[in-house]
Amino acid sequence: MRRSLSLAGAGVALALALTACGSADKPSTAAPSPSSPAPAPGSSAAAPAAGAGAWVNDFCGSLTELANLDASKIQPPADTASMAEKQKAMSQLLETIGGAISPAVEKLSKLPASPVAAGDEAKKTFLDTLKPVDDQIKAAKQKLDAAPAGDAQAVAAAALAFQSVGTALSSFDPEKQLKGAPELEAAGKDQPNCKALDKK
């Protein structure tokens, strides 16, 4: 679960960085992080608390849209495009990225208290990163769509918003943030939503 979430977060950040810089090249595929070492002989993973499996399954499910975001499809408008075309393309990019982050924020916010403390910590960490980004994307798109067609200043402001979002997500490291929570992995290893994330 940790690796799939790391790749999702890194993919979004990389795509936004490339978009803000105006690159038309597709991002290269990130190399998977090394797997966590196997437990030493005789050791055992922390036993999941009652109800932890269902909670972790919902936690994984809240990240489905984010994990499904295809970074290679987040491309900046062509340099030869008119300002009106760039404005339309930037609005679509904001909608695409927001369409992956907003559902995660909404679903995470609705999760009840976790049966294990590590679950609540993970939820807070994710929301602390994703909620401000979601708000920024919504505000940037609203301003861009309200501007007159071909407004160069509005397009430039949207590009700056992309840069800011990319900076925020570049430090989003779910793998690091979820380390030290073996009870979460133990509870989620057989859950369908978590298995789906591991296939990403």
Side-chain angles (χ1 to χ4, degrees):
M1 179 174 69
R2 290 198 302 240
R3 186 182 70 179
S4 61
L5 297 183
S6 292
L7 294 178
V12 174
L14 177 58
L16 288 172
L18 290 174
T19 301
C21 292
S23 171
D25 296 329
K26 290 185 178 181
S28 59
T29 302
S33 303
S35 300
S36 300
S43 66
S44 59
W55 190 94
V56 174
N57 187 58
D58 289 341
F59 178 84
C60 290
S62 70
L63 304 171
T64 299
E65 287 83 0
L66 181 60
N68 285 340
L69 181 61
D70 187 351
S72 68
K73 294 181 179 180
I74 304 176
Q75 298 295 327
D79 291 337
T80 56
S82 68
M83 193 57 64
E85 290 171 334
K86 290 180 179 180
Q87 183 176 359
K88 183 177 180 180
M90 290 292 287
S91 178
Q92 182 59 51
L93 288 174
L94 287 167
E95 182 174 346
T96 297
I97 298 166
I101 295 178
S102 289
V105 171
E106 181 178 358
K107 293 175 184 178
L108 284 169
S109 298
K110 292 180 179 179
L111 280 178
S114 171
V116 291
D120 289 327
E121 293 170 3
K123 171 184 171 180
K124 181 180 184 303
T125 297
F126 277 52
L127 283 175
D128 284 348
T129 297
L130 297 178
K131 182 64 167 63
V133 169
D134 185 42
D135 291 342
Q136 187 171 14
I137 290 174
K138 289 177 179 177
K141 187 177 188 308
Q142 184 178 16
K143 290 180 181 178
L144 184 64
D145 291 346
D151 190 322
Q153 289 186 340
V155 174
L160 287 176
F162 268 111
Q163 288 181 323
S164 179
V165 167
T167 298
L169 290 177
S170 65
S171 60
F172 183 46
D173 188 354
E175 180 175 8
K176 180 179 180 180
Q177 293 157 350
L178 291 177
K179 281 180 179 177
E183 64 270 36
L184 287 182
E185 288 197 295
K189 65 179 182 179
D190 294 323
Q191 300 302 319
N193 287 336
C194 299
K195 285 183 176 181
L197 283 183
D198 283 334
K199 294 178 182 179
K200 302 299 180 185

